[in-house]
Amino acid sequence: IVAEIDGTPVVGDWKNSTAKDKDKPEIYPEYITQLSAYRELYAETTGIRANGGFVVAFAKDKIAYNLRGIPPQELDDHFIEVFLPALKICQFKRRK
């Protein structure tokens, strides 16, 4: 999703997972990496750079959720340090 917060676009994603014995479901690093790719895609297709993002995880096993705002620098780090190397590995495997 792309939303506006105070007139500034941000990218968002929602997930559902179990909370188990915790108060709320966990937000895993993979969620942030995926959101970083969404942010880049949005910038490529619109020419607009989203100013950060958010992930909402909804519990499947209880009434609970977890909301985390992700600052732009953290999204940049995930994109450069995690997503791009993973993409290179995927592209390399496809060549064989």
Side-chain angles (χ1 to χ4, degrees), residues 8-93:
T8 303
V10 294
V11 291
D13 197 11
W14 53 86
K15 304 289 186 185
N16 55 12
S17 63
T18 57
K20 297 182 184 173
D21 57 347
K22 299 177 183 172
D23 290 337
K24 55 189 176 181
E26 192 168 343
I27 293 179
Y28 296 100
E30 300 87 50
Y31 299 170
I32 300 165
T33 301
Q34 186 176 14
L35 189 66
S36 75
Y38 293 159
R39 181 174 177 242
E40 292 299 318
L41 177 62
Y42 181 72
E44 283 182 22
T45 57
T46 66
I48 300 169
R49 187 123 200 81
N51 187 27
F54 62 90
V55 175
V56 182
F58 294 98
K60 294 191 280 188
D61 55 344
K62 61 174 71 174
I63 299 173
Y65 72 93
N66 192 357
L67 169 64
R68 179 161 179 247
I70 317 295
Q73 186 60 55
E74 187 173 355
L75 289 173
D76 289 343
D77 292 346
H78 272 259
F79 188 75
I80 293 165
E81 300 296 328
V82 181
F83 182 81
L84 289 179
L87 180 61
K88 278 191 162 200
I89 291 168
C90 183
Q91 289 170 337
F92 178 79
K93 285 182 171 184

